[in-house]
Amino acid sequence: MEDQKNYSIKNFLDKDIIDIIHKKEIIKWSKYEKKKYDQYLNILYPILNKIHKLNHGKQFWDILLGPFLLFHIPFCCRYYYSKLQKKNRFKKISKNKIKILHTKSYYVPENTKDHREYFQYSDAGQNQLFSQLIINFNKKNYDLFKKKKEEIIINRDIIKEKIIKLRQYLSIKIFQPKLLVTGAYMPAKFISQLKLRHKRNISFIKFYIPIFFNKDIFWLERNEISTLKSRNNFDKFFLSTLKFSLPKSLLENFNYNYSYSKNFLDNFKKLKFILNENMTEDNLFLIASATIKRIKTIYVEHNYIQHQFIGNTIDYIKNKFDFFLTNGWKVKKKTLYQQGVIFFQTS
């Protein structure tokens, strides 16, 4: 049998992953992940300020780092807190060769969307995280294998890009709005009504940062980040994974993304508010840049199903925006208003 000869990612996923299914466990892990989110945000934002020669506050980096931390922390928790934490189990597999991916086959994701798709949905991403876990255990009985790197093909719709750029240009040159709506899913009829009612004070776009092709990897900075001081073994493992998992959009391509967003906002002389719903990375760069310019930001709650009492993302989102428009639920807070997308659908 394979388990008697060697140990691989397949054995790990089949036999040693612990699935969380009970309510008490879910609440426990949700609280733990939120605690780690705050901890790692506090650790990472000063070093990113240093690397990029900035002095931005915690909220600025929360907006940009948030989507990465939101997914990477659970990925690491799931792998680290497995049955391998039990001494008898780890001793048993230690007798075998453990098949892990060679570091030369590791992949550095381009952006936060690429990061999620790689580590959550691809075999290569799961193998990479598993391999880093085994190395973190200081297990020397490796059987390294290399995986041929696939050429990354980014499909570009040139016509669509030009249309988006034209809309962004017109929103600046013609309208000079007070409210900019980007990445919000509203009915066409409702948008038309708003345009007629508010004329040039409101503009609708789909903010877009042109793709930047950059093959450089900042290994020196990645080594510095991945070897930051850790409190315990889990922290050590999590930080070590950042050498390869931290998206290039937050490191190598950060200056390009940030400069493009700032320059875009510099063209708006009357802009006071930005409203967003989809929280794409491009839009989050715009939101983060808006906070520096003291432009108020509004999040309109997306119409989807989430568990309101176990592990919801309300706090995660509302801390990134000045105002939060809910889908109908009420709470006694000045920054939350009962006016989300569900109302747009019926207006």
Side-chain angles (χ1 to χ4, degrees):
M1 292 177 62
E2 186 182 3
D3 194 51
Q4 294 176 337
K5 296 178 180 179
N6 53 50
Y7 185 82
S8 67
I9 180 68
K10 184 179 185 305
N11 302 109
F12 178 69
L13 295 176
D14 288 345
K15 299 182 179 182
D16 293 316
I17 286 289
I18 300 174
D19 291 320
I20 308 300
I21 57 175
H22 299 294
K23 180 179 177 180
K24 288 184 178 180
E25 292 176 324
I26 294 172
I27 293 174
K28 172 187 171 184
W29 282 107
S30 176
K31 289 180 179 179
Y32 181 75
E33 288 170 6
K34 286 181 179 180
K35 177 182 175 182
K36 287 299 175 184
Y37 181 100
D38 290 334
Q39 178 190 336
Y40 296 145
L41 180 60
N42 287 328
I43 291 173
L44 292 174
Y45 91 82
I47 192 71
L48 288 172
N49 266 333
K50 174 189 169 186
I51 290 171
H52 297 304
K53 297 180 181 179
L54 297 171
N55 190 32
H56 293 327
K58 182 178 177 180
Q59 187 195 16
F60 175 89
W61 288 106
D62 184 18
I63 293 167
L64 297 178
L65 271 171
F68 166 72
L69 292 176
L70 183 69
F71 287 102
H72 199 65
I73 291 171
F75 293 162
C76 290
C77 283
R78 186 168 185 259
Y79 277 54
Y80 185 85
Y81 293 109
S82 66
K83 292 179 183 178
L84 297 188
Q85 289 295 324
K86 299 178 180 179
K87 291 183 178 180
N88 291 339
R89 178 59 182 158
F90 190 73
K91 185 177 180 181
K92 182 178 179 180
I93 70 159
S94 296
K95 297 176 181 178
N96 308 324
K97 284 274 189 180
I98 302 180
K99 294 181 67 175
I100 64 171
L101 191 64
H102 198 290
T103 54
K104 290 184 177 180
S105 296
Y106 284 7
Y107 173 67
V108 178
E110 291 291 321
N111 49 50
T112 51
K113 180 182 177 184
D114 188 30
H115 162 266
R116 181 181 179 183
E117 290 177 352
Y118 181 68
F119 286 101
Q120 184 171 356
Y121 301 120
S122 78
D123 292 338
Q126 293 183 10
N127 228 321
Q128 181 170 315
L129 198 58
F130 168 72
S131 302
Q132 289 181 288
L133 175 69
I134 297 301
I135 291 172
N136 185 75
F137 283 145
N138 292 317
K139 180 75 175 65
K140 303 299 182 183
N141 195 21
Y142 304 146
D143 183 10
L144 295 170
F145 70 93
K146 292 182 181 180
K147 180 179 176 61
K148 185 179 179 181
K149 288 189 176 181
E150 297 180 3
E151 183 180 354
I152 300 173
I153 300 175
I154 300 176
N155 295 319
R156 299 183 65 180
D157 188 333
I158 303 298
I159 296 177
K160 185 178 180 180
E161 287 183 16
K162 288 183 177 180
I163 292 173
I164 292 173
K165 288 180 182 178
L166 178 62
R167 285 179 178 173
Q168 292 184 171
Y169 174 80
L170 292 175
S171 69
I172 297 168
K173 296 299 180 182
I174 297 179
F175 297 103
Q176 282 295 330
K178 293 181 180 178
L179 169 63
L180 185 66
V181 179
T182 173
Y185 307 108
M186 300 177 182
K189 182 180 178 181
F190 181 72
I191 292 175
S192 297
Q193 290 173 348
L194 285 177
K195 286 180 177 179
L196 288 172
R197 189 183 308 166
H198 299 284
K199 297 183 179 179
R200 295 190 176 187
N201 287 325
I202 185 170
S203 184
F204 294 83
I205 66 168
K206 183 179 179 181
F207 181 66
Y208 164 83
I209 300 176
I211 296 171
F212 179 57
F213 296 97
N214 181 12
K215 293 184 178 180
D216 294 337
I217 303 290
F218 295 172
W219 291 121
L220 184 64
E221 290 80 359
R222 288 181 175 275
N223 282 329
E224 183 179 5
I225 292 171
S226 63
T227 55
L228 289 168
K229 188 176 180 181
S230 54
R231 298 179 185 176
N232 53 48
N233 288 332
F234 175 74
D235 292 346
K236 181 181 177 182
F237 166 60
F238 176 86
L239 292 171
S240 71
T241 67
L242 301 187
K243 181 175 180 178
F244 297 96
S245 65
L246 187 67
K248 292 175 69 175
S249 56
L250 300 175
L251 196 58
E252 290 83 358
N253 296 343
F254 172 84
N255 286 332
Y256 168 77
N257 293 330
Y258 183 38
S259 296
Y260 186 91
S261 304
K262 284 197 304 177
N263 293 337
F264 178 77
L265 287 178
D266 284 341
N267 292 294
F268 291 89
K269 308 304 179 185
K270 301 178 181 179
L271 190 63
K272 296 183 181 297
F273 301 94
I274 296 178
L275 184 145
N276 176 246
E277 179 182 347
N278 62 12
M279 293 181 69
T280 63
E281 187 170 71
D282 286 0
N283 278 313
L284 288 178
F285 264 100
L286 191 68
I287 296 298
S289 300
T291 64
I292 303 303
K293 295 180 175 293
R294 297 184 179 180
I295 297 169
K296 295 296 182 181
T297 59
I298 306 167
Y299 175 75
V300 55
E301 187 174 20
H302 187 59
N303 190 16
Y304 73 109
I305 298 173
Q306 67 172 327
H307 201 302
Q308 297 296 344
F309 303 104
I310 302 177
N312 69 65
T313 58
I314 293 169
D315 283 339
Y316 161 79
I317 295 172
K318 74 179 181 62
N319 292 336
K320 295 171 175 56
F321 292 81
D322 294 305
F323 304 101
F324 188 116
L325 307 186
T326 79
N327 270 341
W329 49 273
K330 298 180 181 180
V331 64
K332 291 183 179 180
K333 286 190 177 182
K334 292 182 180 180
T335 58
L336 278 78
Y337 297 87
Q338 185 187 4
Q339 192 69 28
V341 292
I342 193 170
F343 292 93
F344 301 156
Q345 301 294 333
T346 56
S347 296

